[in-house]
Amino acid sequence: MNKKILLWSITAALAGFLFGFDVVVISGADKKLQALWGSSDAFHGWIVMGMALWGTVIGAMFGGYPTNKYGRKNTLIAIGVLFAVSAIGSALSNDPYVFAFARFIGGIGVGASTIAAPAYISEIAPAKDRGRLVALYQFNIVFGILIAFLSNFLLSGIGEHAWRWMLGVEAIPAVLYILFALKLPKSPRWLLSQSREEEARDVLKMIDPNANVEEQIAEFQSHSHKNDKTETIFIKKYRFPLTLAFLIAFFNQLSGINAFLYYAPRIFEEAGLGESTALLSSVGIGITNLVFTLLGVFLIDKLGRKTLMYLGSVGYIISLGLVSAAFFLGWTGMAVPIFLFLFIAAHAIGQGAVIWVFISEIFPNHLRASGQSFGSSVHWVLAALIPSLIPFLFSHPMIGAGVVFLIFAGMMVLQLLFVAFMMPETKGKTLEELEDIMIKK
């Protein structure tokens, strides 16, 4: 694999590290903040905990605009700035409203990163390596999750203001990421879409000095010329990729993954573990996520996207069914953590490894950022709604954790049917070849 492409892909994928860290770091401060500000379950869920996710929705909905207009690279740099500002602002907050606003800013960075980073990597990667390179974004998400869980565990005993350190420490990797992103070249496909052919030619020569650059440019232009720049992803001929993006994002969140990551310590305490054991089990979740994401990254270009989704779907159904049974039947101790480790493994090797790769592949070049924005928006609207409801659903006498996890298991049966009967395989094909396939469908 070209070392330059690998380095640039890793750099862009570091936006995923900040995404993972930012989303999960709040779990260590969850109960402390509710006690500190005396918040009701509803206020705590929707405002204190949920505001970052609503920021993510905004970032996902509107992140396609700067990614198209100002470029993938410039958007990635701006994302780093948002994360740094959010980390410092939330750490210094003295009331829930300022805290929520600071977290909202970070959420915008998360949402925009799910558009700009996969789009950038998919556009510089060769077809044979595109899956694993784009999946580096997901690897960095779970690496950020692991570091956030570990950081929370290590900082949990330093006093009543431990939560400030938990949240503020994110500023360090955010600043480092900005410095790395400044060194990235611009996406050659984006440059060509902006009629900046000479700059695109220079980048393509940097990517592979031995490649036939004129042939690559001609292939891109043969597709860009046949597309009307006034097109949107919502017209009839793009209905198939639009439906695919919607469904893979929908099922990703109806697995319950974000609800679990946000409330892992609370879920473990509901299952009868003590606070410190719950935090330590959360670190175990992070390690499991990392190991199986690495496996997914390794396999995605070998077995393909569909095979990984089959494996993940079956793992989801088994693990979520067992978690639900544990709550219904009163199993305590380490049963729930073990079942949830299986759930995380299923997510990491399936949906986790596939979603951002798949959405970045199925839309044509001139609509990639818009398509990525649509898929990300569906993902993050649900990611905001579901975790925001968790405190209420878990505490409701007629619902409870067992019913919630049973519903998630049922949704994964539907995902299995989606994979079997609708999802196409995309491995090994150029983005231009995939464009032709998706439009024919």
Side-chain angles (χ1 to χ4, degrees):
M1 188 185 296
N2 186 308
K3 290 183 179 178
K4 286 182 180 177
I5 295 176
L6 180 61
L7 180 62
W8 296 336
S9 298
I10 291 171
T11 299
L14 287 174
F17 176 89
L18 295 172
F19 163 173
F21 193 100
D22 190 83
V23 166
V24 167
V25 72
I26 188 69
S27 68
D30 170 21
K31 289 197 164 184
K32 294 286 193 302
L33 292 176
Q34 187 170 11
L36 176 66
W37 290 319
S39 307
S40 66
D41 282 346
F43 183 87
H44 182 68
W46 285 93
I47 305 299
V48 177
M49 296 292 286
M51 192 55 69
L53 283 172
W54 291 114
T56 302
V57 171
I58 299 300
M61 284 182 172
F62 299 103
Y65 177 78
T67 304
N68 268 336
K69 184 171 179 59
Y70 302 110
R72 284 65 161 137
K73 174 186 175 177
N74 291 335
T75 304
L76 288 170
I77 294 168
I79 286 164
V81 174
L82 291 173
F83 280 122
V85 170
S86 173
I88 295 168
S90 56
L92 297 177
S93 299
N94 288 315
D95 70 73
Y97 298 100
V98 173
F99 179 87
F101 180 71
R103 292 285 297 159
F104 180 83
I105 291 172
I108 294 174
V110 170
S113 81
T114 60
I115 300 165
Y120 179 85
I121 299 170
S122 72
E123 291 177 355
I124 66 168
K128 66 183 179 66
D129 298 316
R130 188 177 60 245
R132 73 188 74 177
L133 289 174
V134 179
L136 286 173
Y137 176 71
Q138 178 66 20
F139 170 78
N140 274 277
I141 291 172
V142 300
F143 185 49
I145 288 170
L146 172 60
I147 297 302
F149 277 140
L150 184 59
S151 173
N152 285 351
F153 176 70
L154 294 174
L155 293 170
S156 61
I158 66 171
E160 63 176 314
H161 294 296
W163 65 271
R164 296 187 185 275
W165 291 99
M166 289 177 183
L167 292 155
V169 74
E170 185 186 353
I172 297 171
V175 171
L176 291 174
Y177 165 74
I178 294 167
L179 297 176
F180 292 148
L182 288 168
K183 300 293 185 180
L184 289 172
K186 290 180 169 64
S187 160
R189 281 184 168 90
W190 178 78
L191 288 169
L192 287 169
S193 73
Q194 303 296 306
S195 301
R196 293 160 65 173
E197 193 171 313
E198 284 305 313
E199 291 176 72
R201 187 175 283 108
D202 291 341
V203 175
L204 288 169
K205 287 177 181 176
M206 289 171 63
I207 289 174
D208 187 355
N210 300 317
N212 188 329
V213 171
E214 299 308 319
E215 188 177 290
Q216 290 178 316
I217 292 174
E219 183 183 12
F220 172 85
Q221 290 178 335
S222 71
H223 284 74
S224 62
H225 287 170
K226 73 181 181 184
N227 289 317
D228 184 346
K229 290 189 177 182
T230 63
E231 283 185 336
T232 74
I233 57 172
F234 299 105
I235 65 175
K236 185 177 180 180
K237 72 175 180 177
Y238 298 122
R239 185 177 297 165
F240 183 61
L242 191 75
T243 303
L244 293 173
F246 174 85
L247 288 174
I248 198 167
F250 175 84
F251 286 124
N252 183 284
Q253 285 306 299
L254 266 294
S255 70
I257 181 64
N258 263 45
F260 170 63
L261 292 176
Y262 255 55
Y263 294 103
R266 183 181 291 234
I267 291 169
F268 290 141
E269 286 185 51
E270 289 263 345
L273 301 182
E275 182 179 357
S276 62
T277 309
L279 280 171
L280 190 57
S281 294
S282 300
V283 176
I285 289 294
I287 293 171
T288 303
N289 206 354
L290 187 71
V291 169
F292 280 88
T293 297
L294 272 173
L295 185 59
V297 170
F298 176 73
L299 293 174
I300 193 167
D301 284 320
K302 296 180 182 295
L303 300 182
R305 288 57 158 157
K306 280 194 76 160
T307 302
L308 295 190
M309 287 290 286
Y310 274 126
L311 292 172
S313 297
V314 173
Y316 273 145
I317 294 165
I318 294 170
S319 59
L320 288 166
L322 288 170
V323 172
S324 179
F327 280 104
F328 278 124
L329 301 175
W331 300 341
T332 56
M334 291 304 293
V336 169
I338 290 170
F339 299 154
L340 285 170
F341 289 170
L342 176 59
F343 166 77
I344 286 293
H347 175 80
I349 203 169
Q351 271 274 11
V354 172
I355 180 172
W356 305 119
V357 175
F358 189 72
I359 295 176
S360 73
E361 295 175 323
I362 59 177
F363 290 97
N365 291 319
H366 70 301
L367 294 174
R368 180 160 298 110
S370 299
Q372 197 85 24
S373 178
F374 173 78
S376 296
S377 297
V378 174
H379 175 281
W380 288 114
V381 166
L382 292 171
L385 285 171
I386 295 169
S388 296
L389 292 170
I390 287 297
F392 168 76
L393 293 174
F394 276 17
S395 62
H396 194 285
M398 299 297 291
I399 304 174
V403 172
V404 172
F405 284 108
L406 185 61
I407 292 170
F408 290 150
M411 295 306 301
M412 293 305 94
V413 174
L414 297 180
Q415 175 179 275
L416 185 59
L417 296 174
F418 159 71
V419 176
F421 296 108
M422 190 171 181
M423 182 181 176
E425 182 54 75
T426 59
K427 74 166 184 172
K429 298 178 177 68
T430 68
L431 296 176
E432 286 70 30
E433 288 171 341
L434 287 172
E435 177 180 343
D436 291 335
I437 291 168
M438 293 295 164
I439 292 175
K440 284 179 184 177
K441 288 278 189 178

